[in-house]
Amino acid sequence: MADKEIEISEAQGWGLFTVGLIVVILAVTWTLWNMISFKKMKAYITISVWLGWFCCFGIILLLPLDVTMTLYSQCKKESMKDLSKVCHKPWIQMDDKTLLVLWRIVYWTAYILCWTAYPFLQSFAYAGDFSFGEKCKAAVKENMKYWMIVMCVFVPFVIYLFVIRGVGFKELLAAGMMAASAFGLLLFVIFIGHGMVEIPKRLWRLSNRDFTLKKIEFELVSQREFCDKVRRDLDNSLRTVKAHDLKMQSNDPMRPFLDRIIRKCPVELYQQCKALGSVDRPDLNRLVDLNAKVIQGKDDVVRETSLYERLLSKAFKIEDIRKSRSNTIEKAVRWSFEPRRTHKYAKQVDTIEWIWVNFLESPPLHRAQWKLFLEQF
């Protein structure tokens, strides 16, 4: 009977674990879907980011399971000495070996992605070379600079452990894991410490919309300057490309590489920009550098413009809510960039939304969240 109960518990455990796994997959996919465009983003970048996020979210699934299984195992050992002690089986029960395998998969996948794959892919994506092999070579060279610094610091320490202390490979591997985990915990403590200060501060500020609007307006000025700067940098690169385009002959050996750079340039910006006065005939290395500048410039412009538009949207949203507070006749919020509702229950929905944003969401809700957050500590 006991064996049957264990089998049922393990089957239920696998069922609940599968449900949790599906939820994690959907959460990661939905989050990634809202942050990037699957059509515009390259497949290898999307897959690698998805895999890294899945490992991070997977820890949230594995950690409670590991803790409950450990507590249950300790309770079973104690119950052998104390027969009166009752141990309640966890909802999800899994074999220790299986749990260890899952932890190793999550840990080593995240470890390899963090220290090798992601730095390589970042350098690969921004490399200006024109062939796959050359882009890989450039990415390896760039990362080797970082690893050479790391090796200069840690190689003497490793030699000391091997020669003087007589440490074996397994102990050295464990030391590497410990160092990486310590670094991760350090970052975790720093970010948690920042969050414990920033989250209640942000919730308290959100309860005062006038202050929030002034803060956003200040940030908009700074962000606009960043947008203008990256736009000028990209414009300078496009002007250089256009000057080479006008000067270079169609039968020039460098022409195919220049055409590939032109195809990467934003069409509207490239058509509007003016060519530089005079440029020398470029060699392959100069075209590689120019290609890298165009790739980096495009990403910078998209990133900074998106941040600016996001702040602008927040400012308009707060301003629309402030204006709607005096609209006691319609009792509706008229959003600047959203069409009015026209369905059957539009008036009722508008009234509920008006009551929520003006009397319930702020300040009462944000101040309640602030107090609840502080009470946890």
Side-chain angles (χ1 to χ4, degrees):
M1 186 68 180
D3 294 339
K4 187 176 181 181
E5 289 180 357
I6 293 175
E7 289 178 1
I8 294 173
S9 179
E10 288 181 357
Q12 292 175 346
W14 277 108
L16 291 172
F17 182 78
T18 304
V19 172
L21 196 62
I22 294 173
V23 171
V24 169
I25 292 172
L26 293 177
V28 172
T29 306
W30 181 81
T31 305
L32 202 59
W33 177 270
N34 284 277
M35 297 190 69
I36 67 171
S37 173
F38 283 90
K39 294 180 180 179
K40 296 180 180 179
M41 192 64 64
K42 294 180 179 179
Y44 67 88
I45 296 178
T46 303
I47 294 172
S48 61
V49 172
W50 187 94
L51 187 59
W53 285 14
F54 174 76
C55 291
C56 295
F57 279 85
I59 294 175
I60 301 175
L61 181 64
L62 287 178
L63 188 59
L65 178 61
D66 194 1
V67 171
T68 54
M69 288 297 299
T70 302
L71 293 176
Y72 178 69
S73 299
Q74 291 178 352
C75 182
K76 291 291 288 182
K77 292 179 180 179
E78 293 175 0
S79 64
M80 295 180 180
K81 300 178 181 179
D82 186 3
L83 299 178
S84 61
K85 191 176 183 65
V86 179
C87 299
H88 299 284
K89 290 182 180 180
W91 288 359
I92 302 178
Q93 191 172 356
M94 192 176 294
D95 183 66
D96 292 341
K97 292 182 179 180
T98 305
L99 190 61
L100 180 61
V101 170
L102 292 175
W103 267 120
R104 285 177 174 174
I105 292 173
V106 170
Y107 179 85
W108 285 111
T109 303
Y111 190 95
I112 294 172
L113 287 174
C114 178
W115 293 101
T116 58
Y118 286 149
F120 175 82
L121 288 174
Q122 184 178 6
S123 302
F124 181 87
Y126 287 121
D129 299 86
F130 298 98
S131 65
F132 180 81
E134 292 297 325
K135 288 173 75 73
C136 290
K137 189 184 297 184
V140 171
K141 285 182 179 179
E142 185 173 344
N143 283 274
M144 282 301 294
K145 297 176 183 178
Y146 167 77
W147 284 110
M148 287 298 292
I149 297 174
V150 174
M151 288 176 65
C152 291
V153 174
F154 286 101
V155 165
F157 179 69
V158 172
I159 294 174
Y160 169 78
L161 292 177
F162 263 120
V163 178
I164 299 177
R165 292 291 181 179
V167 175
F169 177 76
K170 291 184 179 180
E171 290 80 3
L172 186 63
L173 183 62
M177 294 173 61
M178 182 184 65
S181 300
F183 178 72
L185 287 174
L186 177 63
L187 293 179
F188 179 76
V189 170
I190 293 173
F191 291 142
I192 285 292
H194 173 75
M196 289 176 63
V197 175
E198 189 63 27
I199 291 175
K201 187 192 298 184
R202 180 174 175 272
L203 291 174
W204 183 259
R205 287 175 176 174
L206 287 174
S207 64
N208 187 340
R209 286 204 174 102
D210 293 333
F211 177 83
T212 304
L213 182 60
K214 291 179 181 179
K215 184 174 181 292
I216 292 176
E217 289 173 349
F218 176 79
E219 292 176 351
L220 277 170
V221 176
S222 176
Q223 187 60 37
R224 184 64 190 178
E225 293 178 356
F226 281 117
C227 289
D228 293 339
K229 180 181 180 301
V230 296
R231 179 71 178 269
R232 286 194 300 269
D233 293 340
L234 178 61
D235 187 65
N236 291 333
S237 300
L238 296 181
R239 291 178 63 192
T240 305
V241 173
K242 198 163 192 176
H244 288 308
D245 184 25
L246 296 176
K247 187 175 181 180
M248 188 176 293
Q249 300 296 326
S250 59
N251 59 351
D252 194 295
M254 296 292 107
R255 187 71 204 188
F257 301 110
L258 181 62
D259 291 337
R260 292 178 64 177
I261 298 176
I262 294 173
R263 287 195 292 269
K264 295 178 182 178
C265 297
V267 179
E268 294 182 3
L269 296 179
Y270 184 73
Q271 293 175 350
Q272 294 172 1
C273 71
K274 297 180 180 179
L276 290 177
S278 61
V279 290
D280 298 329
R281 180 184 178 278
D283 56 8
L284 184 59
N285 291 329
R286 290 181 61 185
L287 289 179
V288 167
D289 294 337
L290 184 59
N291 188 28
K293 290 180 179 179
V294 171
I295 296 172
Q296 182 73 56
K298 282 176 57 180
D299 283 356
D300 291 343
V301 169
V302 171
R303 182 183 64 253
E304 299 300 335
T305 303
S306 299
L307 292 174
Y308 178 77
E309 291 176 351
R310 185 179 179 183
L311 287 173
L312 199 64
S313 176
K314 288 182 179 180
F316 274 104
K317 180 181 178 181
I318 295 175
E319 191 64 37
D320 293 339
I321 293 174
R322 293 176 63 189
K323 290 179 180 178
S324 70
R325 194 174 182 87
S326 59
N327 189 9
T328 57
I329 299 175
E330 283 187 309
K331 292 184 178 181
V333 183
R334 297 308 177 197
W335 305 107
S336 299
F337 301 105
E338 293 183 13
R340 294 189 177 186
R341 298 183 179 92
T342 56
H343 54 79
K344 184 178 179 181
Y345 302 100
K347 187 175 181 180
Q348 291 80 359
V349 174
D350 288 342
T351 302
I352 294 173
E353 182 183 53
W354 181 77
I355 295 172
W356 169 257
V357 298
N358 284 291
F359 302 102
L360 298 178
E361 182 185 21
S362 181
L365 178 62
H366 289 129
R367 289 187 178 177
Q369 291 175 336
W370 175 76
K371 293 179 179 178
L372 181 63
F373 182 88
L374 292 182
E375 286 176 358
Q376 303 301 317
F377 302 97

